[in-house]
């Protein structure tokens, strides 16, 4: 059995009550559902495949959901919760309005199918990691081992998403700091950003680079002429706010290192992506991954596994449960 040791928590509440200071290690395990839901993996492989056959864009949708869920108060499926009167949820934060509905549905479909075979056993947080992994495989990416045992949270606040999520117009120093804040190295950050090898960005995230880059230059000088032409074609002036362009213009549906090769040719779409090649601390990793897909897969998988352990809750408590419906917390008696 393989274990991923996650973290040690001091139980502050017990200290306050004057009880012995207790520490427990929370760990995720690869065999966590082997007895309680032996058909989990094959069931989710089937629902994911079905979604992917209908529309390939779902792969990127779920990968981004995994990132945004884990990055904001830990991998607890808080991203899937609906806003309620008086509480705006993470999903509806400005940064998150572009969360893929198709991606959310892929997790919901997996949950429905899994509830049929082993009701009340598998958390939405674990399903996000599993659906993301299945879809990465279908998009041609690496197959990697998963660790389970996350519980779902009961809170989701838009302001947390605003506080934690990085933005495409942040400087590279800010982005490095954002990742360092969550204990991710520069190398891990570059490896994870390779996730932009699939999926889309709305014109509003990058069209300033072709129309209104700065007070002195209209077009971002770090964008090659092909990339400028593509962006002009996708995002004409006054374009509908729903229109999107590829993040990787050479192989948009393939989970490969073309994303890094694009950056070497100044063909990146988001400014934050292109800056990885321009900043001295990140450029060496772009070159490494552009030259060696196997190496990128290795680093990507390791960083994904680490991301999957962020602030996970494995012990039942007031803010931890196995949600019945991923969009709502369970009713409490
Ligand atoms: C510096 C950090 C990051 C920034 C600034 C960033 C920014 C963005 C932006 C602006 C979009 C377009 C959103 C839209 O317009 O709908 C996007 C999409 C996406 N991001 Fe990131 N991102 C970052 C890190 C990551 C990481 C770590 C992952 C996963 C490993 C990831 C996966 C994705 C995916 C798959 C999409 C496409 C979503 C879709 O097509 O539905 N991103 N990102
Ligand atoms: C998806 O498409 C592939 C190839 O067309 C097919 O072999 C497979 O049965 C389909 N799977 C599902 C679940 O629809
Ligand atoms: C990093 O964390 C510090 C302290 O919590 C915070 O003030 C700062 O805004 C964070 N920086 C970024 C880029 O997220
Ligand atoms: C161009 O950018 C500047 C500064 O970022 C902004 O104030 C201005 O409104 C923008 N103009 C257009 C046409 O988007
Ligand atoms: C711009 O970059 C893309 C890769 O994203 C490349 O295919 C294209 O040839 C480049 N164009 C120029 C003019 O360098
Ligand atoms: C690519 O990276 C892999 C994994 O680290 C390594 O085993 C392999 O030797 C590298 N290939 C080349 C051509 O450097
Ligand atoms: C900050 C941001 O990008 N907000 C946008 C989120 O998505 C909605 C609808 O797609 C836009 O209207 C916002 O401008």
């Amino acid at each position: 059995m393989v274990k991923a040791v996650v973290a040690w928590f001091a139980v502050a509440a017990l200290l306050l009550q004057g009880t012995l200071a207790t520490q427990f290690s929370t760990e995720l395990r690869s065999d966590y559902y082997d007895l309680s839901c032996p058909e989990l993996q094959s069931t989710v492989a089937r629902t994911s495949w079905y979604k992917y056959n209908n529309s390939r864009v779902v792969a990127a949708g779920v990968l981004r959901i995994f990132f945004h869920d884990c990055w904001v108060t830990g991998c607890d499926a808080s991203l899937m919760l609906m806003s309620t009167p008086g509480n705006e949820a993470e999903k509806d934060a400005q940064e998150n309005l572009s969360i893929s509905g198709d991606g959310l549905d892929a997790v919901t479909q997996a949950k429905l199918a899994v509830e049929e075979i082993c009701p009340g056993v598998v958390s939405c947080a674990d399903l996000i990691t599993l659906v993301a992994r299945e879809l990465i495989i279908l998009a041609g990416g690496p197959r990697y081992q998963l660790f389970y045992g996350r519980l779902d949270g009961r809170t989701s606040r838009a302001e947390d998403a605003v506080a934690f999520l990085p933005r495409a117009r942040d400087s590279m120093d800010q982005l490095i700091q954002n990742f360092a804040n969550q204990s991710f190295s520069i190398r891990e950050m570059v490896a994870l950003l390779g996730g932009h090898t699939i999926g889309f960005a709305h014109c509003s995230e990058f069209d300033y680079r072709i129309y209104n880059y700065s007070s002195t230059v209209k077009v971002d000088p770090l964008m090659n002429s092909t990339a400028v032409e593509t962006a002009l074609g996708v995002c004409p002036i006054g374009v509908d706010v729903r229109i999107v362009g590829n993040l990787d213009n050479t192989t948009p549906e393939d989970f490969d290192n073309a994303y890094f090769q694009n950056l070497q040719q100044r063909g990146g779409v988001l400014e934050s992506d292109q800056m990885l090649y321009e900043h001295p601390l990140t450029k060496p990793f772009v070159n490494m991954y552009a030259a060696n897909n196997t190496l990128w897969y290795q680093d990507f998988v390791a960083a994904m596994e680490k991301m999957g352990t962020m602030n996970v809750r494995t012990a039942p408590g007031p803010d931890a449960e196995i949600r019945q419906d991923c969009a709502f917390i369970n009713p409490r008696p």
Side-chain angles (χ1 to χ4, degrees):
M1 189 198 60
V2 191
K3 292 178 180 178
V5 175
V6 175
W8 290 83
F9 293 103
V11 184
L14 292 180
L15 278 173
L16 287 173
Q17 289 159 14
T19 348
L20 264 182
T22 313
Q23 288 200 318
F24 58 90
S25 95
T26 58
E27 24 183 63
L28 302 176
R29 292 169 23 176
S30 59
D31 64 353
Y32 190 82
Y33 292 118
D34 281 7
L35 294 176
S36 58
C37 198
E39 304 298 319
L40 170 64
Q41 139 75 31
S42 56
T43 303
V44 174
R46 180 170 48 76
T47 62
S48 303
W49 201 1
Y50 185 77
K51 281 297 290 185
Y52 188 76
N53 276 4
N54 273 324
S55 132
R56 299 184 164 221
V57 304
V58 72
V62 179
L63 176 55
R64 186 157 184 252
I65 286 168
F66 174 69
F67 169 52
H68 282 205
D69 182 38
C70 294
W71 214 249
V72 181
T73 67
C75 312
D76 61 354
S78 53
L79 181 64
M80 295 189 74
L81 290 173
M82 304 279 274
S83 291
T84 53
N87 181 62
E88 190 185 23
E90 280 171 37
K91 186 160 72 66
D92 296 321
Q94 285 231 308
E95 271 67 20
N96 274 348
L97 279 180
S98 50
I99 285 295
S100 152
D102 226 11
L104 290 170
D105 187 56
V107 183
T108 304
Q109 294 304 323
K111 176 71 170 172
L112 288 171
V114 168
E115 287 298 301
E116 294 271 311
I117 54 165
C118 28
V121 167
V122 183
S123 68
C124 299
D126 279 343
L127 282 172
I128 293 173
T129 68
L130 176 53
V131 176
R133 197 274 307 260
E134 291 305 317
L135 290 169
I136 286 172
I137 295 170
L138 291 173
R143 172 182 290 277
Y144 51 93
Q145 190 169 33
L146 291 175
F147 303 92
Y148 303 110
R150 301 168 189 81
L151 292 173
D152 299 322
R154 287 177 57 86
T155 49
S156 178
R157 303 183 317 153
E159 63 249 47
D160 292 334
V162 175
F164 287 104
L165 290 175
R167 293 171 192 81
R169 295 184 78 162
D170 289 347
S171 71
M172 195 43 63
D173 290 332
Q174 278 173 311
L175 294 173
I176 290 170
Q177 186 58 51
N178 180 290
F179 276 68
N181 270 3
Q182 305 259 34
S183 305
F184 280 76
S185 69
I186 294 174
R187 180 171 179 153
E188 288 168 327
M189 178 181 87
V190 180
L192 283 172
L193 270 158
H196 287 173
T197 180
I198 51 173
F200 301 106
H202 290 81
C203 286
S204 58
E205 297 290 352
F206 62 90
D207 65 1
Y208 68 93
R209 296 184 74 199
I210 51 173
Y211 292 125
N212 187 22
Y213 184 64
S214 74
S215 55
T216 49
V217 283
K218 182 172 168 265
V219 179
D220 185 344
L222 295 176
M223 208 170 174
N224 83 29
S225 57
T226 323
V228 171
E229 252 172 70
T230 306
L232 284 168
V234 174
C235 310
I237 289 174
V239 69
D240 187 310
V241 295
R242 289 166 299 188
I243 299 300
V244 294
N246 294 321
L247 285 168
D248 165 0
N249 273 320
T250 46
T251 58
E253 290 183 343
D254 301 337
F255 205 88
D256 61 12
N257 66 342
Y259 163 83
F260 295 107
Q261 294 163 353
N262 293 344
L263 302 184
Q264 292 177 315
Q265 299 172 72
R266 303 255 158 88
V269 173
L270 298 180
E271 188 175 7
S272 51
D273 287 341
Q274 190 56 53
M275 289 309 296
L276 291 177
Y277 183 67
E278 317 300 333
H279 194 289
L281 292 176
T282 48
K283 183 173 182 164
F285 300 117
V286 172
N287 288 333
M288 260 172 44
Y289 298 144
N292 190 335
N293 196 53
T294 312
L295 178 61
W296 172 51
Y297 278 180
Q298 244 174 30
D299 282 7
F300 178 78
V301 163
M304 285 286 282
E305 188 186 306
K306 177 172 169 179
M307 192 151 78
T309 67
M310 290 176 78
N311 281 311
V312 298
R313 272 145 270 178
T314 55
D319 192 30
E321 63 188 17
I322 291 167
R323 228 176 270 156
Q324 289 155 17
D325 176 337
C326 294
F328 300 97
I329 58 172
N330 294 341
R332 284 270 158 106

